[in-house]
């Protein structure tokens, strides 16, 4: 039986003492398994070149022999240069140069053979060698091969990591467990996992590295899809949900109560929601729609269906401002339909919170709107049958799973105004049915978007002032709350607010940012909603859900500091009423990608087009904001470059999960054990 590397501490390797243990932990490396899956982020070909083939200004690797005494030149107390005469194997005489490492003088003795890597200077006939880019002859882990390069921190050096990995591969390489079924490996000509782990860290050649990456990327995507599809399968087959018993004309009754007519797209998605919720199989649906497409009313429909059949519904949103806004809207629309609305947010007083919790547990509140506070252990429901998460990309997969467990297999509805490109949809939402609200309500005005440089600031502010003269309101958005020593040349909300109070004399100017107390933020938003504040200077706290139809102008300072998806969300705060609206992006990007973002914002208001563009400009991590999103951080796979592999892995998993013997055949037991270790099977009946 192989050793379990996931529980084997890294301290079993030579040279790993207490201090190094702490430093390795900063990299997320605590076990041998962690170390082996700490993959290189790039590789360097350090196979030695003949001296006669060295090209000026290029990075080269060459074998040399020290041909004289090393000399050290000092410039001040801290700066030094170590110069060593060397001769290449084909008798080309050079100098190898190290900066600020005078201690090397004692190691660089005449006759010693080295392999050095550095930048070659033909005029000086020298090679500038980086700190760790030379080895004593025979140390082939670091040279004379394709050499892996790792991300490092603190006092962990690339050489140190390579030495550790060399020890780990030699000592424990044969204990690396195989995860993929043999049939799949044969079908796609994938090398075995042990071989792949050795080649990914110490490739024998370019083809060996290619085959290792191909195998490990497929495995990573396959296991990710296995978690998604197993969760979906169990959700559908082993956990019968609530078949909401409602009249056939329930949708017509609901629509009659609305102060507006649903668009065709809203109506189509509403019918899908009703159909899902009247079935025994739990709903697991994502509703995507551009800013202002009317997704909230669909969430309210789901909550109403739960209450109409004698159960409770809950909606979770990312900010207290949005929770309070939904609370007001739900009170206005749903209370006349028999819904008793409650709210649960972090800033509530203890007495209010205790009262809300008691009413939820007893069923007296049958629709609750809240933030992350809904996830806390003390929050219990009498009969929760539908869960809605709004702006779901702000919540991680684990948070969404906790929310689900508050009821018995409740229907789940996810909402997102951040359009997800098709490239990502199957990887992030592979366990969901997807509906798209692709039509804006009648009367929504197109938003004119302008890109101006900072020298046009005064002209842009006059434009905003003209909107206020017409009786309208406006937003001015900045990236920072206060001046930052770390970020130069970026406008901050606090200083801008003080300046604009003078500039817009005669109008009420408000300030809103994330560092304010919840009560302060609520008061500012209340005044802005009631037109007691005409100009709101804000950070991105107004990005999601804020609805003030009289606001017709927005000006964004340092727009280059935002991604396209975020700029599109911000722009969606205007154009929500009957009046023509405008968005001014003030920016002087210093990169081509930054300029491309500004051009794209001016060219289109289609959120899906912008999302696809944003994804390719910034990559999936920045597109969502890695830490908060449900998007996975893959160790080796790339969602853009390796999209085809993801598609193949998804198809394989779907076929496998549908196989009746999957859960029982010995050949699939490693995968079932993996699902147990990932807690996917905790809720499985009889497990």
């Amino acid at each position: 039986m192989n050793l379990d590397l996931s529980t084997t501490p890294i301290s079993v390797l030579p040279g790993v003492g207490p201090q190094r243990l702490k430093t390795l932990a900063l990299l997320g490396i605590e076990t041998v398994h962690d170390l082996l899956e700490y993959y290189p982020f790039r590789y360097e070909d350090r196979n030695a070149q003949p001296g006669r083939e060295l090209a000026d200004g290029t990075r080269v690797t060459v074998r040399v022999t020290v041909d004289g005494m090393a000399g050290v030149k000092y410039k001040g107390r801290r700066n030094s240069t170590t110069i060593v005469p060397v001769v290449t194997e084909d008798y080309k005489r050079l100098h190898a140069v190290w900066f600020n490492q005078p201690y090397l003088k004692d190691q660089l003795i005449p006759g010693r053979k080295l392999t050095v890597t550095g930048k070659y200077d033909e005029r000086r006939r020298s090679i500038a060698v980086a700190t760790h880019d030379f080895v004593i002859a025979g140390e082939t882990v670091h040279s004379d091969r394709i050499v892996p390069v790792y991300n490092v921190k603190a006092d962990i050096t690339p050489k140190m990591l390579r030495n550790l990995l060399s020890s780990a591969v030699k000592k424990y390489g044969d204990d690396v467990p195989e995860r993929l079924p043999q049939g799949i490996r044969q079908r796609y000509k994938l090398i075995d996992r042990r071989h792949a782990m050795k080649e990914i860290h110490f490739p024998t050649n370019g083809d060996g590295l290619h085959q290792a990456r191909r195998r490990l990327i497929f495995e990573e995507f396959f296991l990710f899809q296995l978690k998604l599809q197993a969760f979906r399968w169990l959700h559908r087959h082993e956990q019968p949900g609530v078949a909401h018993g409602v009249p056939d004309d329930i949708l017509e009754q609901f629509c009659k109560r609305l102060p507006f007519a649903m668009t065709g797209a809203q109506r189509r998605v509403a019918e899908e929601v009703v159909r899902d919720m009247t079935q025994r199989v739990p709903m697991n649906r994502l509703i995507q729609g551009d800013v202002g497409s009317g997704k909230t009313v669909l969430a309210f429909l789901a909550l109403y269906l739960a209450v109409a059949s004698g159960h409770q519904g809950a909606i979770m949103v990312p900010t207290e401002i949005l929770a309070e806004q939904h609370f007001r809207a739900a009170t206005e629309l749903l209370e006349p339909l028999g819904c008793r609305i409650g709210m649960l947010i972090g800033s509530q007083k203890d007495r209010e919170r205790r009262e809300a919790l008691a009413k939820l547990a007893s069923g007296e509140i049958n629709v609750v709107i809240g933030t992350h506070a809904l996830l806390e252990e003390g929050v219990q429901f009498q009969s929760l049958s539908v869960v809605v998460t709004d702006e779901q990309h702000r919540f991680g997969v684990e948070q969404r799973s906790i929310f689900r467990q508050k009821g018995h297999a409740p229907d789940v509805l996810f909402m997102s105004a951040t359009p997800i490109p098709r490239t990502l949809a199957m990887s992030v939402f592979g366990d969901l049915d997807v509906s798209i609200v692709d039509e804006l309500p009648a009367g929504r005005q197109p938003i004119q978007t302008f890109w101006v440089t900072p020298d046009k600031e005064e002209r842009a502010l006059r434009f905003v002032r003209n909107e206020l003269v017409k009786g309208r309101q406006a937003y001015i958005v900045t990236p920072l709350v206060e001046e930052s020593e770390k970020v130069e040349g970026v406008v901050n909300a606090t200083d801008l607010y003080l300046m604009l109070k003078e500039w817009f004399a005669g109008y009420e100017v408000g300030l809103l940012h994330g560092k304010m107390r919840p009560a302060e933020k609520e008061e500012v938003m209340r005044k802005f909603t009631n037109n007691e504040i005409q100009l709101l200077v804000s950070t991105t706290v107004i990005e999601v859900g804020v609805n003030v139809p009289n606001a017709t102008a927005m000006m964004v300072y340092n727009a280059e500091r935002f991604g396209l998806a975020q700029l599109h969300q911000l722009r969606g705060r205007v154009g929500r009423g009957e009046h023509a609206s405008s968005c001014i992006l003030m920016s002087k990007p210093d990169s081509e990608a930054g300029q491309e973002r500004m051009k794209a914002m001016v060219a289109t208001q289609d959120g899906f087009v912008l999302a696809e563009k944003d994804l390719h400009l910034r990559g999936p991590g920045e597109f969502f904001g890695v830490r908060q999103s449900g998007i996975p951080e893959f160790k080796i796979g790339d969602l853009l470059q390796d999209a085809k592999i993801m598609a193949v892995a998804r198809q394989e998993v779907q076929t496998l999960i549908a196989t009746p013997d999957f859960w029982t055949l010995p050949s699939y037991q490693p995968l079932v054990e993996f699902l147990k270790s990932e807690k996917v099977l905790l809720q499985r009946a009889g497990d």
Side-chain angles (χ1 to χ4, degrees):
M1 184 174 179
N2 290 339
L3 191 66
D4 183 356
L5 300 183
S6 65
T7 59
T8 303
I10 199 72
S11 55
V12 299
L13 295 174
V16 182
Q19 186 54 46
R20 190 160 293 177
L21 271 176
K22 292 178 183 177
T23 313
L24 287 167
L26 296 176
L27 298 176
I29 299 173
E30 296 182 348
T31 67
V32 174
H33 171 269
D34 296 334
L35 178 65
L36 291 174
E37 291 198 355
Y38 194 78
Y39 301 125
F41 73 94
R42 66 180 176 88
Y43 298 83
E44 289 184 355
D45 186 350
R46 293 193 186 174
N47 286 299
Q49 303 157 246
R52 62 180 176 275
E53 294 180 4
L54 303 183
D56 184 43
T58 62
R59 188 171 171 81
V60 301
T61 296
V62 61
R63 294 193 193 96
V64 299
T65 303
V66 177
D67 190 37
M69 297 300 293
V72 180
K73 294 181 178 180
Y74 288 92
K75 186 177 181 180
R77 290 196 301 174
R78 296 190 176 183
N79 299 313
S80 66
T81 306
T82 303
I83 303 174
V84 186
V86 295
V87 59
T88 68
E89 290 180 314
D90 50 356
Y91 306 109
K92 184 169 186 174
R93 293 189 176 278
L94 305 170
H95 286 95
V97 179
W98 284 263
F99 297 102
N100 302 317
Q101 298 169 79
Y103 57 87
L104 291 177
K105 179 182 177 181
D106 296 333
Q107 299 179 37
L108 303 172
I109 57 177
R112 172 152 280 178
K113 296 184 182 297
L114 309 172
T115 301
V116 296
T117 298
K119 188 175 180 180
Y120 177 59
D121 185 325
E122 175 65 35
R123 186 173 66 84
R124 292 187 172 88
R125 298 179 67 80
S126 67
I127 298 176
V129 187
T131 309
H132 305 289
D133 288 349
F134 81 98
V135 296
I136 308 300
E139 294 182 7
T140 54
V141 170
H142 309 291
S143 199
D144 294 315
R145 66 179 308 129
I146 298 174
V147 173
V149 182
Y150 302 89
N151 282 314
V152 293
K153 283 183 181 179
D155 60 346
I156 298 291
T157 66
K159 265 190 175 181
M160 194 182 297
L161 264 184
R162 283 195 289 269
N163 284 330
L164 278 176
L165 275 155
S166 178
S167 297
V169 167
K170 288 174 184 175
K171 190 172 182 180
Y172 298 105
D174 291 338
D175 291 306
V176 171
E178 181 55 73
R179 289 171 168 171
L180 295 180
Q182 186 176 3
I184 291 177
R185 297 203 312 273
Q186 290 175 342
R187 185 151 52 249
Y188 296 104
K189 296 183 172 62
L190 300 172
I191 63 176
D192 66 75
R193 194 162 184 258
R194 292 173 183 173
H195 186 193
M197 202 61 75
K198 293 173 183 177
E199 286 289 326
I200 201 69
H201 291 294
F202 303 105
T204 51
N205 52 43
D207 183 63
L209 175 58
H210 171 72
Q211 295 301 333
R213 289 193 78 257
R214 185 170 166 269
R215 152 66 206 236
L216 293 172
I217 290 169
F218 183 92
E219 176 187 306
E220 187 171 37
F221 286 172
F222 181 89
L223 294 178
F224 171 72
Q225 286 292 338
L226 183 66
K227 288 195 290 184
L228 281 182
Q229 301 303 328
F231 191 86
R232 178 186 176 94
W233 191 91
L234 293 167
H235 195 64
R236 287 177 173 271
H237 293 85
E238 294 205 352
Q239 288 192 324
V242 176
H244 294 86
V246 293
D248 293 339
D249 65 345
I250 189 76
L251 181 55
E252 301 303 328
Q253 293 179 27
F254 182 78
C255 288
K256 286 178 183 177
R257 299 276 186 165
L258 296 176
F260 54 83
M262 278 191 177
T263 64
Q266 282 178 312
R267 182 78 186 211
R268 183 186 70 247
V269 176
E271 290 170 355
E272 291 172 345
V273 170
V274 173
R275 185 171 62 249
D276 283 353
M277 291 187 64
T278 52
Q279 293 178 356
R280 193 71 170 157
V281 175
M283 176 172 70
N284 206 29
R285 183 169 294 277
L286 166 70
I287 298 179
Q288 287 198 81
D290 219 333
V291 175
S293 59
K295 298 177 300 300
T296 303
V297 73
L298 298 169
F300 287 173
L301 169 63
L303 298 171
Y304 170 58
L305 293 179
V307 174
S309 56
H311 299 283
Q312 293 168 293
I315 179 169
M316 182 168 69
V317 298
T319 67
E320 294 195 356
I321 288 177
L322 189 53
E324 288 156 353
Q325 183 171 299
H326 277 344
F327 177 77
R328 290 191 294 270
T331 300
E332 184 177 337
L333 177 63
L334 297 180
E335 271 198 349
L337 295 173
C339 298
R340 298 181 297 277
I341 317 297
M343 187 164 61
L344 201 60
I345 57 178
S347 62
Q348 280 176 314
K349 295 177 180 177
D350 288 344
R351 181 182 58 78
E352 292 174 334
R353 175 181 167 77
R354 286 195 301 271
E355 186 177 320
L357 290 175
K359 288 182 177 180
L360 268 181
S362 69
E364 187 176 343
I365 289 176
N366 51 27
V367 169
V368 65
I369 294 155
T371 57
H372 291 76
L374 288 171
L375 300 174
E376 295 172 6
E377 285 186 16
V379 181
Q380 295 181 342
F381 295 81
Q382 185 188 63
S383 179
L384 179 64
S385 71
V386 66
V387 163
V388 181
T389 59
D390 197 5
E391 290 306 320
Q392 70 78 40
H393 67 284
R394 301 292 189 93
F395 301 105
V397 175
E398 290 179 9
Q399 292 172 318
R400 302 200 304 252
S401 180
I402 292 170
F403 199 17
R404 268 186 177 130
Q405 293 169 27
K406 296 288 183 179
H408 177 73
D411 287 337
V412 180
L413 188 65
F414 301 110
M415 316 279 283
S416 180
T418 300
I420 312 302
R422 290 186 180 278
T423 322
L424 290 184
M426 68 178 168
S427 58
V428 184
F429 304 124
D431 59 330
L432 306 180
D433 297 311
V434 179
S435 296
I436 297 179
V437 185
D438 52 5
E439 182 181 352
L440 291 177
R444 284 299 297 261
Q445 296 288 326
I447 304 165
Q448 278 194 297
T449 304
F450 306 96
W451 169 26
V452 301
T453 49
D455 59 307
K456 303 291 194 303
E457 177 184 15
E458 189 170 326
R459 183 178 171 187
L461 288 172
R462 282 201 302 269
F463 180 92
V464 172
R465 187 181 182 89
N466 286 338
E467 288 299 299
L468 303 194
V469 169
K470 296 175 188 175
R472 313 287 175 245
Q473 292 164 269
Y475 300 93
I476 292 191
V477 181
T478 69
L480 300 178
V481 176
E482 298 167 329
E483 186 176 3
S484 170
E485 294 179 2
K486 296 179 181 178
V487 187
E488 293 184 6
V490 177
V491 177
N492 70 85
T494 306
D495 289 346
L496 186 63
Y497 165 71
L498 296 174
M499 185 268 281
L500 293 181
K501 284 183 72 173
E502 296 182 18
W503 223 95
F504 286 86
Y507 295 96
E508 192 66 31
V509 180
L511 175 65
L512 184 69
H513 57 73
K515 292 186 177 180
M516 295 167 67
R517 292 194 300 271
E520 291 178 305
K521 287 189 285 188
E522 171 63 16
E523 178 64 11
V524 171
M525 278 312 304
R526 184 192 65 76
K527 287 183 175 180
F528 189 62
T529 302
N530 294 337
N531 203 2
E532 296 171 36
I533 288 173
Q534 287 77 51
L535 181 68
L536 183 61
V537 180
S538 175
T539 58
T540 56
V541 292
I542 53 99
E543 174 190 354
V544 173
V546 173
N547 183 29
V548 181
N550 191 48
T552 58
M554 172 174 286
M555 183 172 167
V556 182
Y557 279 79
N558 297 108
E560 73 279 357
R561 296 184 64 83
F562 302 101
L564 277 173
Q566 195 170 36
L567 286 173
H568 184 58
Q569 284 280 339
L570 288 168
R571 178 170 62 182
R573 298 312 103 211
V574 296
R576 306 180 77 86
E578 59 182 336
H579 306 292
S581 297
S582 304
C583 178
I584 302 170
L585 306 174
M586 195 165 70
S587 172
K588 191 174 182 181
D590 56 5
S591 69
E592 189 174 332
Q595 294 174 20
E596 286 293 313
R597 283 204 291 276
M598 297 304 106
K599 291 175 183 176
M601 284 294 295
V602 172
T604 182
Q605 290 186 52
D606 188 320
F608 287 91
V609 172
L610 290 172
E612 193 73 47
K613 183 81 172 174
D614 205 21
L615 177 65
H616 283 88
L617 285 173
R618 300 200 301 158
E622 282 194 53
F623 175 83
F624 283 97
V626 165
R627 297 298 171 196
Q628 286 187 313
S629 73
I631 197 167
E633 292 183 73
F634 293 111
K635 292 181 180 178
I636 192 166
D638 184 292
L639 283 171
L640 296 183
Q641 295 179 14
D642 307 315
K644 290 182 179 178
I645 299 178
M646 177 67 84
V648 171
R650 182 171 186 254
Q651 184 59 53
E652 280 292 337
V653 167
Q654 287 177 331
T655 302
L656 190 63
I657 291 289
T659 303
D661 296 331
F662 171 73
W663 306 102
T664 55
L665 279 180
S667 57
Y668 297 135
Q669 280 309 294
L671 298 179
V672 175
E673 290 302 318
F674 167 77
L675 290 173
K676 288 179 179 177
S677 71
E678 294 292 314
K679 298 182 171 59
V680 174
L681 298 189
L682 280 181
Q683 301 174 59
R684 188 176 177 216
D687 199 70

